[in-house]
Amino acid sequence: MNKPTLISFKLCPYVQRSVITLLEKKVDYEIKYIDLSNKPDWFLKISPLGRVPVLQVGEDVLFESAVINEYLDEVSPPSIHPESPLTKAKHRAWIEFASALLVDQYFLTMTKEQAEFEKRKGEIINKYKQLEAILPEPKNGALYFSGDRFHLIDTSYAPGFMRFAILQSALPELDLDKDFPKVRTWVKTLLSKESVQKSVLPEVPEEYIRYIKDHKSYLGSLLK
Ligand SMILES: N[C@@H](CCC(=O)N[C@@H](CS)C(=O)NCC(=O)O)C(=O)O
């Protein structure tokens, strides 16, 4: 495989999914950061939707984090995606669910309206309730989506979980998973993984909080 280049925006959770995959699969890669509020022309030429992540592989360009991650998984065995078509289809479906959770998280952090904030908070708690119902039992205090092994699907949840943890450190009462012990164990397991911890630059927690405050959102006004 040509050494791939990942086009990134520092704070993007979708890019972070691909970084975790690259680190887990020990793929040698380069990363280029762009500013999404001032997209360079070369980026607009190669990114069909003007979004990150984009993965350049030689002359080829891939977009959409779930697709990029499946490609990376296939070209760097052993696979961390299920083999059985049915289980794989279920994982893909719950990866979409993770994307919906990221959308809720984005609006929770960005809305200027308290009512919208409360609505998103309820939707996130409801999604946690749905996840709690399908997660297996933890073993020895650890849990991944499908039990005791890390899969591609875990890369799609970790960035959102990391952002919720950053938010909670600036607003302790925003304890969204408090009633969901399995979700909580899953969060703890993922956030303690080296690939997850190394998937963002060290300044990201501080910049994430600053980004939300600068936006003058309702949540921004509550953060320490
Ligand atoms: N479904 C896409 C979502 C990617 C996405 O929404 N990326 C955001 C940044 S986190 C983006 O590039 N937005 C374009 C913009 O802000 O103009 C994926 O999974 O890759």
mmCIF file of all heavy atoms in Angstrom, residues 94-105 119-135 145 157 161 164 176-177 180 183 186:
data_model
loop_
_atom_site.group_PDB
_atom_site.id
_atom_site.type_symbol
_atom_site.label_atom_id
_atom_site.label_comp_id
_atom_site.label_asym_id
_atom_site.label_seq_id
_atom_site.Cartn_x
_atom_site.Cartn_y
_atom_site.Cartn_z
ATOM 1 N N TRP A 94 -24.844 0.039 13.663
ATOM 2 C CA TRP A 94 -24.566 0.746 14.927
ATOM 3 C C TRP A 94 -23.467 1.795 14.768
ATOM 4 O O TRP A 94 -23.341 2.685 15.604
ATOM 5 C CB TRP A 94 -24.294 -0.253 16.054
ATOM 6 C CG TRP A 94 -25.559 -0.915 16.497
ATOM 7 C CD1 TRP A 94 -26.017 -2.147 16.122
ATOM 8 C CD2 TRP A 94 -26.588 -0.347 17.334
ATOM 9 N NE1 TRP A 94 -27.253 -2.386 16.690
ATOM 10 C CE2 TRP A 94 -27.626 -1.311 17.444
ATOM 11 C CE3 TRP A 94 -26.731 0.871 18.019
ATOM 12 C CZ2 TRP A 94 -28.784 -1.081 18.202
ATOM 13 C CZ3 TRP A 94 -27.883 1.097 18.773
ATOM 14 C CH2 TRP A 94 -28.890 0.134 18.854
ATOM 15 N N ILE A 95 -22.692 1.711 13.679
ATOM 16 C CA ILE A 95 -21.739 2.797 13.375
ATOM 17 C C ILE A 95 -22.544 4.030 12.921
ATOM 18 O O ILE A 95 -22.243 5.164 13.309
ATOM 19 C CB ILE A 95 -20.705 2.340 12.314
ATOM 20 C CG1 ILE A 95 -19.704 1.358 12.938
ATOM 21 C CG2 ILE A 95 -19.964 3.545 11.713
ATOM 22 C CD1 ILE A 95 -18.758 0.653 11.967
ATOM 23 N N GLU A 96 -23.611 3.788 12.164
ATOM 24 C CA GLU A 96 -24.497 4.892 11.785
ATOM 25 C C GLU A 96 -25.117 5.528 13.028
ATOM 26 O O GLU A 96 -25.290 6.746 13.109
ATOM 27 C CB GLU A 96 -25.629 4.383 10.868
ATOM 28 C CG GLU A 96 -25.244 4.286 9.406
ATOM 29 C CD GLU A 96 -24.830 5.643 8.842
ATOM 30 O OE1 GLU A 96 -25.588 6.628 8.941
ATOM 31 O OE2 GLU A 96 -23.706 5.686 8.288
ATOM 32 N N PHE A 97 -25.468 4.692 13.978
ATOM 33 C CA PHE A 97 -26.047 5.169 15.243
ATOM 34 C C PHE A 97 -25.035 6.072 15.963
ATOM 35 O O PHE A 97 -25.392 7.120 16.508
ATOM 36 C CB PHE A 97 -26.404 3.949 16.103
ATOM 37 C CG PHE A 97 -27.273 4.236 17.293
ATOM 38 C CD1 PHE A 97 -28.658 4.316 17.163
ATOM 39 C CD2 PHE A 97 -26.724 4.384 18.564
ATOM 40 C CE1 PHE A 97 -29.469 4.557 18.271
ATOM 41 C CE2 PHE A 97 -27.528 4.624 19.672
ATOM 42 C CZ PHE A 97 -28.904 4.707 19.528
ATOM 43 N N ALA A 98 -23.763 5.672 15.907
ATOM 44 C CA ALA A 98 -22.705 6.503 16.527
ATOM 45 C C ALA A 98 -22.641 7.862 15.838
ATOM 46 O O ALA A 98 -22.405 8.895 16.480
ATOM 47 C CB ALA A 98 -21.352 5.802 16.431
ATOM 48 N N SER A 99 -22.857 7.877 14.520
ATOM 49 C CA SER A 99 -22.819 9.155 13.794
ATOM 50 C C SER A 99 -23.993 10.040 14.232
ATOM 51 O O SER A 99 -23.840 11.263 14.363
ATOM 52 C CB SER A 99 -22.866 8.923 12.286
ATOM 53 O OG SER A 99 -21.743 8.168 11.896
ATOM 54 N N ALA A 100 -25.151 9.422 14.477
ATOM 55 C CA ALA A 100 -26.312 10.198 14.953
ATOM 56 C C ALA A 100 -26.016 10.772 16.347
ATOM 57 O O ALA A 100 -26.414 11.903 16.664
ATOM 58 C CB ALA A 100 -27.553 9.316 14.978
ATOM 59 N N LEU A 101 -25.298 10.003 17.153
ATOM 60 C CA LEU A 101 -24.908 10.494 18.492
ATOM 61 C C LEU A 101 -23.965 11.700 18.365
ATOM 62 O O LEU A 101 -24.068 12.677 19.114
ATOM 63 C CB LEU A 101 -24.232 9.345 19.259
ATOM 64 C CG LEU A 101 -23.902 9.526 20.728
ATOM 65 C CD1 LEU A 101 -25.157 9.773 21.572
ATOM 66 C CD2 LEU A 101 -23.178 8.285 21.277
ATOM 67 N N LEU A 102 -23.075 11.641 17.381
ATOM 68 C CA LEU A 102 -22.169 12.787 17.163
ATOM 69 C C LEU A 102 -22.934 14.028 16.710
ATOM 70 O O LEU A 102 -22.574 15.152 17.071
ATOM 71 C CB LEU A 102 -21.094 12.440 16.115
ATOM 72 C CG LEU A 102 -19.926 11.564 16.574
ATOM 73 C CD1 LEU A 102 -18.983 11.292 15.405
ATOM 74 C CD2 LEU A 102 -19.159 12.222 17.727
ATOM 75 N N VAL A 103 -23.987 13.814 15.928
ATOM 76 C CA VAL A 103 -24.800 14.957 15.495
ATOM 77 C C VAL A 103 -25.490 15.582 16.716
ATOM 78 O O VAL A 103 -25.476 16.809 16.901
ATOM 79 C CB VAL A 103 -25.833 14.531 14.412
ATOM 80 C CG1 VAL A 103 -26.828 15.652 14.126
ATOM 81 C CG2 VAL A 103 -25.117 14.107 13.133
ATOM 82 N N ASP A 104 -26.055 14.732 17.588
ATOM 83 C CA ASP A 104 -26.668 15.254 18.829
ATOM 84 C C ASP A 104 -25.633 16.026 19.651
ATOM 85 O O ASP A 104 -25.919 17.084 20.202
ATOM 86 C CB ASP A 104 -27.196 14.105 19.705
ATOM 87 C CG ASP A 104 -28.433 13.443 19.125
ATOM 88 O OD1 ASP A 104 -29.183 14.113 18.392
ATOM 89 O OD2 ASP A 104 -28.637 12.246 19.404
ATOM 90 N N GLN A 105 -24.442 15.451 19.738
ATOM 91 C CA GLN A 105 -23.390 16.096 20.536
ATOM 92 C C GLN A 105 -23.037 17.461 19.945
ATOM 93 O O GLN A 105 -22.862 18.440 20.676
ATOM 94 C CB GLN A 105 -22.156 15.198 20.567
ATOM 95 C CG GLN A 105 -21.030 15.760 21.408
ATOM 96 C CD GLN A 105 -19.854 14.790 21.435
ATOM 97 O OE1 GLN A 105 -19.250 14.504 20.406
ATOM 98 N NE2 GLN A 105 -19.524 14.283 22.605
ATOM 99 N N LYS A 119 -33.332 19.331 24.681
ATOM 100 C CA LYS A 119 -33.850 18.305 23.760
ATOM 101 C C LYS A 119 -32.717 17.360 23.337
ATOM 102 O O LYS A 119 -32.859 16.133 23.370
ATOM 103 C CB LYS A 119 -34.469 19.004 22.542
ATOM 104 C CG LYS A 119 -35.074 18.070 21.549
ATOM 105 C CD LYS A 119 -35.839 18.830 20.462
ATOM 106 C CE LYS A 119 -35.845 18.017 19.192
ATOM 107 N NZ LYS A 119 -35.135 18.585 18.087
ATOM 108 N N ARG A 120 -31.582 17.932 22.978
ATOM 109 C CA ARG A 120 -30.438 17.097 22.551
ATOM 110 C C ARG A 120 -29.928 16.233 23.694
ATOM 111 O O ARG A 120 -29.547 15.082 23.501
ATOM 112 C CB ARG A 120 -29.305 17.978 22.020
ATOM 113 C CG ARG A 120 -29.649 18.682 20.744
ATOM 114 C CD ARG A 120 -29.713 17.705 19.581
ATOM 115 N NE ARG A 120 -30.182 18.380 18.378
ATOM 116 C CZ ARG A 120 -30.273 17.815 17.186
ATOM 117 N NH1 ARG A 120 -29.933 16.549 17.012
ATOM 118 N NH2 ARG A 120 -30.713 18.496 16.163
ATOM 119 N N LYS A 121 -29.923 16.825 24.887
ATOM 120 C CA LYS A 121 -29.471 16.078 26.061
ATOM 121 C C LYS A 121 -30.369 14.831 26.245
ATOM 122 O O LYS A 121 -29.877 13.727 26.455
ATOM 123 C CB LYS A 121 -29.552 16.997 27.289
ATOM 124 C CG LYS A 121 -28.805 16.506 28.472
ATOM 125 C CD LYS A 121 -28.747 17.597 29.534
ATOM 126 C CE LYS A 121 -28.915 16.996 30.892
ATOM 127 N NZ LYS A 121 -29.095 17.976 31.937
ATOM 128 N N GLY A 122 -31.664 15.035 26.100
ATOM 129 C CA GLY A 122 -32.614 13.921 26.219
ATOM 130 C C GLY A 122 -32.365 12.879 25.136
ATOM 131 O O GLY A 122 -32.436 11.668 25.382
ATOM 132 N N GLU A 123 -32.047 13.340 23.923
ATOM 133 C CA GLU A 123 -31.816 12.393 22.827
ATOM 134 C C GLU A 123 -30.547 11.571 23.065
ATOM 135 O O GLU A 123 -30.496 10.382 22.757
ATOM 136 C CB GLU A 123 -31.769 13.130 21.488
ATOM 137 C CG GLU A 123 -33.181 13.384 20.991
ATOM 138 C CD GLU A 123 -33.303 14.423 19.886
ATOM 139 O OE1 GLU A 123 -32.266 14.801 19.304
ATOM 140 O OE2 GLU A 123 -34.442 14.842 19.624
ATOM 141 N N ILE A 124 -29.542 12.223 23.638
ATOM 142 C CA ILE A 124 -28.292 11.501 23.932
ATOM 143 C C ILE A 124 -28.551 10.451 25.013
ATOM 144 O O ILE A 124 -28.147 9.290 24.886
ATOM 145 C CB ILE A 124 -27.185 12.499 24.355
ATOM 146 C CG1 ILE A 124 -26.795 13.364 23.158
ATOM 147 C CG2 ILE A 124 -25.977 11.766 24.937
ATOM 148 C CD1 ILE A 124 -26.088 14.660 23.526
ATOM 149 N N ILE A 125 -29.282 10.853 26.070
ATOM 150 C CA ILE A 125 -29.579 9.905 27.157
ATOM 151 C C ILE A 125 -30.396 8.729 26.612
ATOM 152 O O ILE A 125 -30.158 7.568 26.940
ATOM 153 C CB ILE A 125 -30.279 10.636 28.325
ATOM 154 C CG1 ILE A 125 -29.259 11.570 29.002
ATOM 155 C CG2 ILE A 125 -30.887 9.652 29.334
ATOM 156 C CD1 ILE A 125 -29.818 12.532 30.022
ATOM 157 N N ASN A 126 -31.316 9.043 25.710
ATOM 158 C CA ASN A 126 -32.119 7.981 25.112
ATOM 159 C C ASN A 126 -31.261 7.018 24.275
ATOM 160 O O ASN A 126 -31.450 5.802 24.309
ATOM 161 C CB ASN A 126 -33.212 8.625 24.256
ATOM 162 C CG ASN A 126 -34.322 7.643 23.993
ATOM 163 O OD1 ASN A 126 -34.684 6.854 24.873
ATOM 164 N ND2 ASN A 126 -34.823 7.643 22.773
ATOM 165 N N LYS A 127 -30.284 7.573 23.577
ATOM 166 C CA LYS A 127 -29.394 6.704 22.784
ATOM 167 C C LYS A 127 -28.540 5.839 23.716
ATOM 168 O O LYS A 127 -28.292 4.671 23.439
ATOM 169 C CB LYS A 127 -28.521 7.535 21.843
ATOM 170 C CG LYS A 127 -29.318 8.096 20.669
ATOM 171 C CD LYS A 127 -28.414 8.656 19.595
ATOM 172 C CE LYS A 127 -29.225 9.082 18.364
ATOM 173 N NZ LYS A 127 -30.173 10.166 18.600
ATOM 174 N N TYR A 128 -28.101 6.421 24.827
ATOM 175 C CA TYR A 128 -27.334 5.629 25.801
ATOM 176 C C TYR A 128 -28.202 4.479 26.333
ATOM 177 O O TYR A 128 -27.727 3.364 26.540
ATOM 178 C CB TYR A 128 -26.863 6.511 26.960
ATOM 179 C CG TYR A 128 -25.553 7.240 26.700
ATOM 180 C CD1 TYR A 128 -25.069 8.177 27.593
ATOM 181 C CD2 TYR A 128 -24.783 6.964 25.570
ATOM 182 C CE1 TYR A 128 -23.859 8.838 27.375
ATOM 183 C CE2 TYR A 128 -23.578 7.613 25.343
ATOM 184 C CZ TYR A 128 -23.119 8.552 26.256
ATOM 185 O OH TYR A 128 -21.921 9.191 26.050
ATOM 186 N N LYS A 129 -29.495 4.772 26.557
ATOM 187 C CA LYS A 129 -30.409 3.741 27.051
ATOM 188 C C LYS A 129 -30.514 2.592 26.032
ATOM 189 O O LYS A 129 -30.485 1.414 26.393
ATOM 190 C CB LYS A 129 -31.783 4.394 27.261
ATOM 191 C CG LYS A 129 -32.755 3.573 28.022
ATOM 192 C CD LYS A 129 -33.975 4.412 28.338
ATOM 193 C CE LYS A 129 -35.098 3.516 28.804
ATOM 194 N NZ LYS A 129 -36.371 4.213 28.844
ATOM 195 N N GLN A 130 -30.590 2.955 24.754
ATOM 196 C CA GLN A 130 -30.666 1.932 23.706
ATOM 197 C C GLN A 130 -29.364 1.113 23.646
ATOM 198 O O GLN A 130 -29.392 -0.101 23.472
ATOM 199 C CB GLN A 130 -30.931 2.587 22.349
ATOM 200 C CG GLN A 130 -32.346 3.125 22.224
ATOM 201 C CD GLN A 130 -32.489 3.965 20.956
ATOM 202 O OE1 GLN A 130 -32.153 5.141 20.944
ATOM 203 N NE2 GLN A 130 -32.960 3.355 19.899
ATOM 204 N N LEU A 131 -28.237 1.795 23.810
ATOM 205 C CA LEU A 131 -26.945 1.086 23.783
ATOM 206 C C LEU A 131 -26.833 0.156 24.993
ATOM 207 O O LEU A 131 -26.404 -0.995 24.865
ATOM 208 C CB LEU A 131 -25.784 2.093 23.763
ATOM 209 C CG LEU A 131 -25.581 2.823 22.436
ATOM 210 C CD1 LEU A 131 -24.650 4.030 22.609
ATOM 211 C CD2 LEU A 131 -25.009 1.883 21.361
ATOM 212 N N GLU A 132 -27.256 0.660 26.154
ATOM 213 C CA GLU A 132 -27.189 -0.148 27.379
ATOM 214 C C GLU A 132 -27.941 -1.474 27.178
ATOM 215 O O GLU A 132 -27.515 -2.523 27.661
ATOM 216 C CB GLU A 132 -27.795 0.662 28.544
ATOM 217 C CG GLU A 132 -27.729 0.010 29.897
ATOM 218 C CD GLU A 132 -26.329 0.050 30.540
ATOM 219 O OE1 GLU A 132 -25.455 0.788 30.050
ATOM 220 O OE2 GLU A 132 -26.141 -0.688 31.529
ATOM 221 N N ALA A 133 -29.056 -1.398 26.440
ATOM 222 C CA ALA A 133 -29.892 -2.590 26.254
ATOM 223 C C ALA A 133 -29.243 -3.628 25.334
ATOM 224 O O ALA A 133 -29.582 -4.809 25.408
ATOM 225 C CB ALA A 133 -31.255 -2.164 25.693
ATOM 226 N N ILE A 134 -28.325 -3.217 24.469
ATOM 227 C CA ILE A 134 -27.749 -4.201 23.537
ATOM 228 C C ILE A 134 -26.311 -4.601 23.896
ATOM 229 O O ILE A 134 -25.774 -5.540 23.323
ATOM 230 C CB ILE A 134 -27.767 -3.697 22.070
ATOM 231 C CG1 ILE A 134 -26.980 -2.390 21.933
ATOM 232 C CG2 ILE A 134 -29.192 -3.540 21.555
ATOM 233 C CD1 ILE A 134 -26.285 -2.276 20.616
ATOM 234 N N LEU A 135 -25.691 -3.868 24.820
ATOM 235 C CA LEU A 135 -24.293 -4.187 25.150
ATOM 236 C C LEU A 135 -24.215 -5.493 25.941
ATOM 237 O O LEU A 135 -25.086 -5.757 26.778
ATOM 238 C CB LEU A 135 -23.669 -3.054 25.986
ATOM 239 C CG LEU A 135 -23.267 -1.790 25.226
ATOM 240 C CD1 LEU A 135 -22.910 -0.669 26.208
ATOM 241 C CD2 LEU A 135 -22.092 -2.038 24.280
ATOM 242 N N PHE A 145 -17.729 -2.851 22.332
ATOM 243 C CA PHE A 145 -19.084 -2.976 21.795
ATOM 244 C C PHE A 145 -19.544 -4.419 21.759
ATOM 245 O O PHE A 145 -20.667 -4.735 22.118
ATOM 246 C CB PHE A 145 -19.161 -2.364 20.384
ATOM 247 C CG PHE A 145 -20.518 -2.509 19.755
ATOM 248 C CD1 PHE A 145 -21.551 -1.637 20.080
ATOM 249 C CD2 PHE A 145 -20.783 -3.546 18.859
ATOM 250 C CE1 PHE A 145 -22.814 -1.779 19.525
ATOM 251 C CE2 PHE A 145 -22.041 -3.701 18.299
ATOM 252 C CZ PHE A 145 -23.056 -2.813 18.632
ATOM 253 N N TYR A 157 -17.237 5.194 18.158
ATOM 254 C CA TYR A 157 -17.814 5.755 19.393
ATOM 255 C C TYR A 157 -16.798 6.539 20.221
ATOM 256 O O TYR A 157 -17.156 7.487 20.931
ATOM 257 C CB TYR A 157 -18.432 4.632 20.249
ATOM 258 C CG TYR A 157 -19.784 4.198 19.730
ATOM 259 C CD1 TYR A 157 -19.897 3.212 18.758
ATOM 260 C CD2 TYR A 157 -20.953 4.817 20.175
ATOM 261 C CE1 TYR A 157 -21.142 2.834 18.246
ATOM 262 C CE2 TYR A 157 -22.203 4.452 19.671
ATOM 263 C CZ TYR A 157 -22.285 3.454 18.713
ATOM 264 O OH TYR A 157 -23.515 3.110 18.213
ATOM 265 N N PHE A 161 -17.256 9.825 22.921
ATOM 266 C CA PHE A 161 -17.076 9.591 24.362
ATOM 267 C C PHE A 161 -15.989 10.517 24.919
ATOM 268 O O PHE A 161 -16.117 11.047 26.018
ATOM 269 C CB PHE A 161 -16.679 8.130 24.617
ATOM 270 C CG PHE A 161 -17.769 7.113 24.361
ATOM 271 C CD1 PHE A 161 -17.464 5.760 24.273
ATOM 272 C CD2 PHE A 161 -19.096 7.499 24.232
ATOM 273 C CE1 PHE A 161 -18.459 4.805 24.055
ATOM 274 C CE2 PHE A 161 -20.103 6.558 24.006
ATOM 275 C CZ PHE A 161 -19.770 5.203 23.922
ATOM 276 N N PHE A 164 -17.487 13.961 25.354
ATOM 277 C CA PHE A 164 -18.373 14.045 26.529
ATOM 278 C C PHE A 164 -17.531 14.126 27.810
ATOM 279 O O PHE A 164 -17.884 14.849 28.737
ATOM 280 C CB PHE A 164 -19.320 12.844 26.591
ATOM 281 C CG PHE A 164 -20.483 12.945 25.628
ATOM 282 C CD1 PHE A 164 -20.802 11.902 24.775
ATOM 283 C CD2 PHE A 164 -21.278 14.090 25.584
ATOM 284 C CE1 PHE A 164 -21.875 11.998 23.883
ATOM 285 C CE2 PHE A 164 -22.359 14.202 24.696
ATOM 286 C CZ PHE A 164 -22.647 13.143 23.844
ATOM 287 N N LEU A 176 -23.846 12.318 31.561
ATOM 288 C CA LEU A 176 -24.906 11.759 30.718
ATOM 289 C C LEU A 176 -25.052 10.238 30.806
ATOM 290 O O LEU A 176 -26.125 9.709 30.573
ATOM 291 C CB LEU A 176 -24.668 12.188 29.264
ATOM 292 C CG LEU A 176 -24.667 13.708 29.055
ATOM 293 C CD1 LEU A 176 -24.171 14.065 27.660
ATOM 294 C CD2 LEU A 176 -26.059 14.286 29.274
ATOM 295 N N ASP A 177 -23.964 9.546 31.153
ATOM 296 C CA ASP A 177 -24.058 8.068 31.197
ATOM 297 C C ASP A 177 -24.246 7.525 32.614
ATOM 298 O O ASP A 177 -24.089 6.335 32.855
ATOM 299 C CB ASP A 177 -22.830 7.429 30.515
ATOM 300 C CG ASP A 177 -21.520 7.801 31.204
ATOM 301 O OD1 ASP A 177 -21.561 8.400 32.296
ATOM 302 O OD2 ASP A 177 -20.456 7.502 30.632
ATOM 303 N N PHE A 180 -26.207 4.315 33.229
ATOM 304 C CA PHE A 180 -25.974 3.223 32.286
ATOM 305 C C PHE A 180 -24.603 2.579 32.531
ATOM 306 O O PHE A 180 -23.607 2.933 31.894
ATOM 307 C CB PHE A 180 -26.090 3.757 30.846
ATOM 308 C CG PHE A 180 -27.361 4.542 30.635
ATOM 309 C CD1 PHE A 180 -27.332 5.920 30.455
ATOM 310 C CD2 PHE A 180 -28.588 3.899 30.682
ATOM 311 C CE1 PHE A 180 -28.503 6.646 30.302
ATOM 312 C CE2 PHE A 180 -29.768 4.618 30.539
ATOM 313 C CZ PHE A 180 -29.728 5.993 30.353
ATOM 314 N N VAL A 183 -22.570 1.157 29.505
ATOM 315 C CA VAL A 183 -22.040 2.245 28.656
ATOM 316 C C VAL A 183 -20.835 2.875 29.355
ATOM 317 O O VAL A 183 -19.798 3.131 28.743
ATOM 318 C CB VAL A 183 -23.123 3.313 28.367
ATOM 319 C CG1 VAL A 183 -22.516 4.510 27.649
ATOM 320 C CG2 VAL A 183 -24.267 2.727 27.546
ATOM 321 N N TRP A 186 -17.816 0.781 29.056
ATOM 322 C CA TRP A 186 -17.331 0.851 27.667
ATOM 323 C C TRP A 186 -16.541 2.156 27.465
ATOM 324 O O TRP A 186 -15.437 2.159 26.919
ATOM 325 C CB TRP A 186 -18.545 0.759 26.745
ATOM 326 C CG TRP A 186 -18.288 0.733 25.273
ATOM 327 C CD1 TRP A 186 -17.151 0.309 24.640
ATOM 328 C CD2 TRP A 186 -19.212 1.116 24.258
ATOM 329 N NE1 TRP A 186 -17.322 0.420 23.269
ATOM 330 C CE2 TRP A 186 -18.576 0.909 23.021
ATOM 331 C CE3 TRP A 186 -20.515 1.625 24.266
ATOM 332 C CZ2 TRP A 186 -19.200 1.189 21.795
ATOM 333 C CZ3 TRP A 186 -21.137 1.888 23.058
ATOM 334 C CH2 TRP A 186 -20.493 1.682 21.840
#
